Amino acid sequence: MTMTSAKGARAGFIWLASYPKSGNTWFRALLTAYEDSAGDVDINRLDGRHAARERLFERYLACDGSLLTTEETFIARRVIYLHLAQHETSGAPQKVHDANLPLANGQLLFPPEATAATIHVVRHPFDVAVSYAYHLGLAPDFDRCIDNMCNPDFRVDGLVFAQMPQVQSDWSSHALSWLAMPGRRLTLRYEDMLVDGAGALTRALRVMYPDAEPDPARVTRAVEATSFGKLKAQESATSFRERPPKSESFFRSGTSGDWRNHLTPAQCARLADALAPAMQRMGYGPDGSVGPWSDDAPAP
Protein backbone atom coordinates (compact mmCIF):
# COMPACT_ATOMS: atom_id res chain seq x y z
CA MET A 1 0.00 0.00 0.00
CA THR A 2 1.44 3.38 -0.96
CA MET A 3 1.28 6.69 0.81
CA THR A 4 -1.35 7.92 -1.63
CA SER A 5 -3.72 5.09 -0.80
CA ALA A 6 -3.08 5.61 2.90
CA LYS A 7 -4.31 9.20 2.87
CA GLY A 8 -7.73 9.72 4.35
CA ALA A 9 -7.29 7.01 6.97
CA ARG A 10 -7.98 9.32 9.91
CA ALA A 11 -9.10 12.88 10.60
CA GLY A 12 -6.84 15.65 11.87
CA PHE A 13 -3.77 17.48 10.68
CA ILE A 14 -0.28 16.12 10.18
CA TRP A 15 2.12 18.81 11.36
CA LEU A 16 5.61 18.87 9.82
CA ALA A 17 7.29 21.07 12.40
CA SER A 18 10.81 22.46 12.59
CA TYR A 19 12.78 25.56 13.36
CA PRO A 20 13.67 27.23 10.03
CA LYS A 21 16.57 25.70 8.08
CA SER A 22 16.47 22.40 9.94
CA GLY A 23 15.43 20.04 7.14
CA ASN A 24 11.71 20.74 6.74
CA THR A 25 11.96 21.35 2.99
CA TRP A 26 14.18 18.31 2.46
CA PHE A 27 11.65 16.16 4.29
CA ARG A 28 8.84 17.55 2.14
CA ALA A 29 10.88 16.64 -0.94
CA LEU A 30 11.27 13.09 0.39
CA LEU A 31 7.50 12.79 0.85
CA THR A 32 6.83 14.18 -2.61
CA ALA A 33 9.27 11.78 -4.23
CA TYR A 34 7.83 8.86 -2.27
CA GLU A 35 4.31 9.63 -3.44
CA ASP A 36 5.38 9.91 -7.08
CA SER A 37 5.25 6.46 -8.70
CA ALA A 38 8.48 7.16 -10.59
CA GLY A 39 10.20 8.68 -7.57
CA ASP A 40 10.50 12.09 -9.22
CA VAL A 41 10.35 15.40 -7.38
CA ASP A 42 9.75 18.95 -8.60
CA ILE A 43 11.07 21.32 -5.93
CA ASN A 44 8.43 23.87 -6.93
CA ARG A 45 5.60 21.40 -6.36
CA LEU A 46 6.41 19.97 -2.94
CA ASP A 47 3.89 18.33 -0.62
CA GLY A 48 3.19 20.27 2.56
CA ARG A 49 1.33 23.58 2.51
CA HIS A 50 2.25 26.22 5.09
CA ALA A 51 0.02 26.11 8.15
CA ALA A 52 0.26 29.92 8.51
CA ARG A 53 -0.63 30.72 4.90
CA GLU A 54 -2.65 33.90 4.55
CA ARG A 55 -5.07 32.34 2.07
CA LEU A 56 -6.34 30.00 4.76
CA PHE A 57 -7.45 32.99 6.81
CA GLU A 58 -8.93 34.89 3.89
CA ARG A 59 -11.24 31.93 3.34
CA TYR A 60 -12.41 31.32 6.90
CA LEU A 61 -12.19 34.67 8.70
CA ALA A 62 -14.95 37.24 8.45
CA CYS A 63 -12.37 40.02 8.31
CA ASP A 64 -9.03 40.91 6.77
CA GLY A 65 -6.37 39.06 8.76
CA SER A 66 -4.11 42.12 8.60
CA LEU A 67 -6.59 43.97 10.85
CA LEU A 68 -5.98 41.60 13.75
CA THR A 69 -3.35 42.01 16.44
CA THR A 70 -0.59 39.43 16.51
CA GLU A 71 -2.15 37.67 19.51
CA GLU A 72 -5.53 37.67 17.80
CA THR A 73 -4.07 35.99 14.72
CA PHE A 74 -2.68 33.17 16.87
CA ILE A 75 -6.04 32.61 18.56
CA ALA A 76 -7.80 32.76 15.18
CA ARG A 77 -5.39 30.21 13.74
CA ARG A 78 -6.11 27.81 16.59
CA VAL A 79 -9.87 28.14 16.09
CA ILE A 80 -9.52 27.55 12.35
CA TYR A 81 -7.38 24.45 12.91
CA LEU A 82 -9.96 23.04 15.32
CA HIS A 83 -12.76 23.69 12.83
CA LEU A 84 -10.97 22.26 9.82
CA ALA A 85 -9.59 19.23 11.67
CA GLN A 86 -13.08 17.73 11.80
CA HIS A 87 -13.00 17.38 8.02
CA GLU A 88 -9.24 17.12 7.32
CA THR A 89 -8.61 13.61 6.03
CA SER A 90 -6.36 14.34 3.04
CA GLY A 91 -3.23 13.16 4.84
CA ALA A 92 -1.29 16.10 3.38
CA PRO A 93 1.26 17.47 5.87
CA GLN A 94 1.17 21.07 7.05
CA LYS A 95 4.51 22.88 7.19
CA VAL A 96 5.07 24.60 10.54
CA HIS A 97 7.84 26.89 11.78
CA ASP A 98 6.03 28.11 14.91
CA ALA A 99 6.85 26.86 18.35
CA ASN A 100 3.83 25.12 19.88
CA LEU A 101 3.65 27.27 22.99
CA PRO A 102 0.61 28.30 25.06
CA LEU A 103 -1.15 31.40 23.79
CA ALA A 104 -2.32 34.29 25.93
CA ASN A 105 -5.43 32.24 26.76
CA GLY A 106 -3.28 29.32 27.94
CA GLN A 107 -4.18 27.04 25.02
CA LEU A 108 -1.69 25.52 22.57
CA LEU A 109 -1.52 27.07 19.11
CA PHE A 110 -1.61 23.60 17.53
CA PRO A 111 -4.27 21.69 19.49
CA PRO A 112 -3.62 18.01 20.15
CA GLU A 113 -7.32 17.38 19.48
CA ALA A 114 -6.84 18.72 15.92
CA THR A 115 -3.77 16.55 15.34
CA ALA A 116 -3.45 13.19 13.64
CA ALA A 117 0.37 13.05 13.82
CA THR A 118 3.44 15.24 14.24
CA ILE A 119 6.78 14.91 12.47
CA HIS A 120 9.33 17.13 14.18
CA VAL A 121 12.72 17.78 12.57
CA VAL A 122 15.63 19.19 14.61
CA ARG A 123 19.15 20.28 13.65
CA HIS A 124 22.17 21.33 15.72
CA PRO A 125 21.69 25.05 16.45
CA PHE A 126 25.25 25.89 15.40
CA ASP A 127 24.47 24.78 11.85
CA VAL A 128 21.02 26.35 11.99
CA ALA A 129 22.56 29.73 12.85
CA VAL A 130 24.77 29.63 9.78
CA SER A 131 22.16 28.28 7.39
CA TYR A 132 19.45 30.66 8.63
CA ALA A 133 21.74 33.68 8.33
CA TYR A 134 22.50 32.83 4.70
CA HIS A 135 18.81 32.14 4.11
CA LEU A 136 17.88 35.64 5.32
CA GLY A 137 20.75 37.34 3.52
CA LEU A 138 22.39 38.33 6.82
CA ALA A 139 25.67 36.41 6.46
CA PRO A 140 28.39 37.03 7.43
CA ASP A 141 26.59 38.90 10.25
CA PHE A 142 25.72 35.72 12.14
CA ASP A 143 25.18 37.62 15.40
CA ARG A 144 21.85 39.00 14.21
CA CYS A 145 20.58 35.49 13.57
CA ILE A 146 21.98 34.29 16.89
CA ASP A 147 20.11 37.14 18.62
CA ASN A 148 16.82 35.77 17.28
CA MET A 149 17.66 32.15 18.04
CA CYS A 150 18.34 33.02 21.69
CA ASN A 151 15.30 35.27 22.12
CA PRO A 152 12.30 33.52 23.76
CA ASP A 153 10.03 36.34 22.53
CA PHE A 154 11.13 36.20 18.89
CA ARG A 155 8.27 36.35 16.42
CA VAL A 156 7.83 36.87 12.71
CA ASP A 157 5.27 39.66 12.79
CA GLY A 158 3.11 41.04 10.01
CA LEU A 159 2.30 39.51 6.65
CA VAL A 160 5.56 38.06 5.28
CA PHE A 161 5.64 35.98 2.09
CA ALA A 162 1.81 35.66 2.25
CA GLN A 163 2.08 34.16 5.74
CA MET A 164 0.44 35.24 8.97
CA PRO A 165 2.54 36.15 12.04
CA GLN A 166 4.41 33.25 13.59
CA VAL A 167 5.92 32.69 17.03
CA GLN A 168 9.31 31.00 16.73
CA SER A 169 10.64 31.74 20.22
CA ASP A 170 14.22 30.68 20.94
CA TRP A 171 15.59 27.49 19.41
CA SER A 172 15.50 25.59 22.70
CA SER A 173 11.91 26.51 23.59
CA HIS A 174 10.87 25.69 20.04
CA ALA A 175 12.38 22.22 20.18
CA LEU A 176 11.06 21.43 23.65
CA SER A 177 7.54 22.59 22.74
CA TRP A 178 7.29 20.01 19.98
CA LEU A 179 9.01 17.30 22.01
CA ALA A 180 6.16 17.76 24.51
CA MET A 181 3.45 17.38 21.85
CA PRO A 182 1.13 14.54 22.90
CA GLY A 183 -0.18 11.90 20.56
CA ARG A 184 1.59 10.31 17.59
CA ARG A 185 4.88 12.17 17.25
CA LEU A 186 8.26 11.36 15.79
CA THR A 187 11.28 13.62 16.26
CA LEU A 188 14.04 13.25 13.68
CA ARG A 189 17.47 14.81 13.87
CA TYR A 190 18.80 16.24 10.63
CA GLU A 191 22.16 14.63 11.27
CA ASP A 192 20.60 11.18 11.59
CA MET A 193 18.64 11.73 8.39
CA LEU A 194 21.91 12.40 6.58
CA VAL A 195 23.22 9.02 7.77
CA ASP A 196 20.05 6.98 7.19
CA GLY A 197 17.49 8.80 5.08
CA ALA A 198 15.62 5.61 4.23
CA GLY A 199 15.24 4.67 7.88
CA ALA A 200 14.06 8.15 8.81
CA LEU A 201 11.49 8.28 6.02
CA THR A 202 10.20 4.80 6.83
CA ARG A 203 9.72 5.64 10.50
CA ALA A 204 7.98 8.90 9.61
CA LEU A 205 5.60 7.23 7.18
CA ARG A 206 4.59 4.72 9.84
CA VAL A 207 3.71 7.55 12.21
CA MET A 208 1.92 9.62 9.59
CA TYR A 209 0.00 6.75 7.97
CA PRO A 210 -0.18 3.92 10.50
CA ASP A 211 -2.55 1.85 8.38
CA ALA A 212 -0.12 1.48 5.47
CA GLU A 213 3.32 -0.17 5.65
CA PRO A 214 5.87 1.88 3.65
CA ASP A 215 7.07 0.42 0.35
CA PRO A 216 10.87 -0.14 0.67
CA ALA A 217 11.47 0.28 -3.07
CA ARG A 218 9.64 3.61 -3.13
CA VAL A 219 11.54 4.74 -0.03
CA THR A 220 14.86 3.95 -1.73
CA ARG A 221 13.86 5.82 -4.88
CA ALA A 222 12.72 8.83 -2.86
CA VAL A 223 16.03 9.06 -0.99
CA GLU A 224 18.00 8.78 -4.22
CA ALA A 225 15.87 11.44 -5.93
CA THR A 226 16.33 13.94 -3.11
CA SER A 227 20.09 13.88 -2.62
CA PHE A 228 21.37 17.36 -1.87
CA GLY A 229 23.29 17.49 -5.15
CA LYS A 230 20.14 16.76 -7.16
CA LEU A 231 18.04 19.32 -5.30
CA LYS A 232 20.73 21.97 -5.64
CA ALA A 233 21.15 21.24 -9.36
CA GLN A 234 17.41 21.57 -9.89
CA GLU A 235 17.39 24.93 -8.11
CA SER A 236 20.26 26.13 -10.30
CA ALA A 237 18.42 25.03 -13.44
CA THR A 238 14.88 26.16 -12.63
CA SER A 239 15.11 28.40 -9.52
CA PHE A 240 13.08 27.75 -6.37
CA ARG A 241 10.03 29.80 -5.53
CA GLU A 242 10.55 29.38 -1.77
CA ARG A 243 13.99 31.01 -1.86
CA PRO A 244 13.91 34.44 -0.16
CA PRO A 245 14.91 37.34 -2.44
CA LYS A 246 18.03 38.13 -0.36
CA SER A 247 19.29 34.56 -0.39
CA GLU A 248 21.72 33.51 -3.12
CA SER A 249 20.49 29.91 -2.98
CA PHE A 250 18.13 27.86 -0.84
CA PHE A 251 20.07 24.60 -1.10
CA ARG A 252 23.44 25.97 0.01
CA SER A 253 25.42 23.31 1.90
CA GLY A 254 23.28 20.44 3.12
CA THR A 255 25.95 19.13 5.48
CA SER A 256 26.51 18.73 9.19
CA GLY A 257 29.30 20.71 10.84
CA ASP A 258 29.51 23.62 8.39
CA TRP A 259 29.37 25.95 11.41
CA ARG A 260 33.12 25.33 11.85
CA ASN A 261 33.75 27.41 8.73
CA HIS A 262 31.78 30.42 9.96
CA LEU A 263 31.18 30.78 13.71
CA THR A 264 33.63 32.06 16.30
CA PRO A 265 34.18 30.32 19.65
CA ALA A 266 32.35 33.19 21.35
CA GLN A 267 29.33 32.78 19.11
CA CYS A 268 29.22 29.06 19.74
CA ALA A 269 29.50 29.60 23.49
CA ARG A 270 26.64 32.06 23.41
CA LEU A 271 24.39 29.60 21.60
CA ALA A 272 25.40 26.74 23.88
CA ASP A 273 24.72 28.76 27.03
CA ALA A 274 21.34 30.08 25.91
CA LEU A 275 20.06 26.88 24.33
CA ALA A 276 21.42 24.29 26.76
CA PRO A 277 18.08 22.68 27.81
CA ALA A 278 17.12 21.39 24.35
CA MET A 279 20.71 20.82 23.23
CA GLN A 280 21.29 18.47 26.15
CA ARG A 281 17.96 16.74 25.53
CA MET A 282 18.77 16.20 21.84
CA GLY A 283 22.35 15.01 22.31
CA TYR A 284 23.89 18.18 20.85
CA GLY A 285 27.18 19.04 22.53
CA PRO A 286 28.39 22.59 23.31
CA ASP A 287 31.45 21.75 21.23
CA GLY A 288 29.27 21.15 18.16
CA SER A 289 29.26 17.38 18.51
CA VAL A 290 26.25 15.19 17.82
CA GLY A 291 25.96 12.37 20.36
CA PRO A 292 23.35 9.70 21.02
CA TRP A 293 19.88 10.59 22.20
CA SER A 294 16.65 8.83 23.08
CA ASP A 295 13.20 10.06 22.15
CA ASP A 296 10.70 9.33 24.89
CA ALA A 297 7.77 9.38 22.45
CA PRO A 298 6.02 6.03 21.91
CA ALA A 299 7.81 3.92 19.31
CA PRO A 300 5.99 3.84 15.94
Side-chain angles (χ1 to χ4, degrees):
M1 184 178 289
T2 66
M3 186 174 90
T4 302
S5 60
K7 287 182 176 180
R10 58 186 62 205
F13 288 102
I14 297 174
W15 309 118
L16 178 53
S18 74
Y19 200 86
K21 302 307 293 181
S22 299
N24 196 302
T25 301
W26 178 27
F27 190 85
R28 290 164 57 213
L30 281 165
L31 289 178
T32 303
Y34 179 84
E35 186 172 9
D36 188 277
S37 59
D40 294 329
V41 58
D42 180 345
I43 60 174
N44 288 306
R45 297 176 62 88
L46 298 179
D47 277 356
R49 305 182 69 183
H50 206 299
R53 59 190 181 278
E54 182 185 9
R55 186 172 299 178
L56 188 67
F57 296 83
E58 291 177 345
R59 182 175 180 181
Y60 292 100
L61 286 180
C63 67
D64 184 344
S66 64
L67 300 177
L68 302 178
T69 66
T70 299
E71 288 298 333
E72 288 172 339
T73 64
F74 295 144
I75 293 173
R77 285 174 62 188
R78 184 181 192 278
V79 171
I80 291 173
Y81 296 148
L82 283 169
H83 170 71
L84 294 180
Q86 303 174 54
H87 313 288
E88 174 56 43
T89 58
S90 69
Q94 301 288 317
K95 174 182 177 179
V96 174
H97 284 321
D98 296 87
N100 195 19
L101 297 170
L103 304 176
N105 59 11
Q107 298 173 317
L108 291 176
L109 174 56
F110 299 93
E113 56 267 41
T115 302
T118 301
I119 303 300
H120 172 216
V121 184
V122 184
R123 187 182 189 184
H124 199 298
F126 291 6
D127 277 329
V128 171
V130 172
S131 186
Y132 202 11
Y134 274 102
H135 180 74
L136 297 175
L138 299 176
D141 185 3
F142 300 108
D143 284 313
R144 290 180 60 189
C145 192
I146 292 172
D147 287 342
N148 295 338
M149 291 181 62
C150 296
N151 180 6
D153 297 320
F154 180 65
R155 294 175 172 177
V156 179
D157 290 325
L159 295 175
V160 181
F161 302 122
Q163 298 169 16
M164 299 299 286
Q166 296 159 63
V167 53
Q168 287 182 200
S169 190
D170 62 277
W171 179 91
S172 182
S173 296
H174 188 289
L176 293 175
S177 75
W178 286 106
L179 283 166
M181 184 68 168
R184 296 186 63 83
R185 172 191 56 82
L186 174 66
T187 295
L188 298 170
R189 295 192 306 183
Y190 181 88
E191 297 79 11
D192 298 329
M193 291 172 62
L194 287 174
V195 174
D196 183 13
L201 179 56
T202 298
R203 293 170 63 205
L205 290 170
R206 287 173 177 158
V207 170
M208 296 169 70
Y209 313 110
D211 300 320
E213 180 62 17
D215 183 332
R218 293 170 74 100
V219 168
T220 299
R221 287 198 298 268
V223 172
E224 292 174 349
T226 56
S227 68
F228 182 80
K230 290 182 178 179
L231 297 177
K232 186 174 181 64
Q234 190 175 149
E235 180 185 16
S236 299
T238 64
S239 190
F240 183 35
R241 64 186 180 187
E242 296 183 27
R243 177 183 62 83
K246 294 183 179 181
S247 176
E248 293 184 4
S249 64
F250 187 94
F251 300 100
R252 187 188 61 85
S253 173
T255 61
S256 172
D258 185 47
W259 61 269
R260 295 182 179 88
N261 301 315
H262 303 279
L263 299 184
T264 66
Q267 290 170 328
C268 292
R270 183 181 171 203
L271 285 166
D273 289 344
L275 309 179
M279 287 182 64
Q280 294 173 2
R281 171 81 180 275
M282 297 300 307
Y284 290 142
D287 59 353
S289 61
V290 179
W293 86 292
S294 176
D295 189 351
D296 59 7

